[in-house]
Amino acid sequence: MADKIALLLTIIGAVNWGLIGIFQFDLVAYIFGGQGALISRIIYSLVGAAGLWCISMLFRDHEVVKE
């Protein structure tokens, strides 16, 4: 479950960075009141932590379960 949450947060962060890179538009800051707003900083921190968690997913052995 933690892997799925981390992956979802990482995708949100990637989409936000894509918007910043292409359109110079920070969706998180827009929704939550600017980059310095507490809730925005919490979102950015969660996305960063999720990215670090996803690094660990690269080095884990996963068995494919066939149903």
Side-chain angles (χ1 to χ4, degrees), residues 1-2 6 14 19-20 22 28 31 34 49 51-52 55 57 59-60 63:
M1 184 60 140
L19 290 171
I20 292 169
I22 296 169
V28 172
I31 292 173
L52 292 174
I55 291 171
M57 293 170 62
F59 302 103
R60 287 192 236 149
E63 292 184 23

Side-chain angles (χ1 to χ4, degrees), residues 15-28 30-31:
V15 168
N16 194 54
W17 274 108
L19 290 171
I20 292 169
I22 296 169
F23 302 110
Q24 295 182 349
F25 178 72
D26 187 343
L27 183 62
V28 172
Y30 177 77
I31 292 173

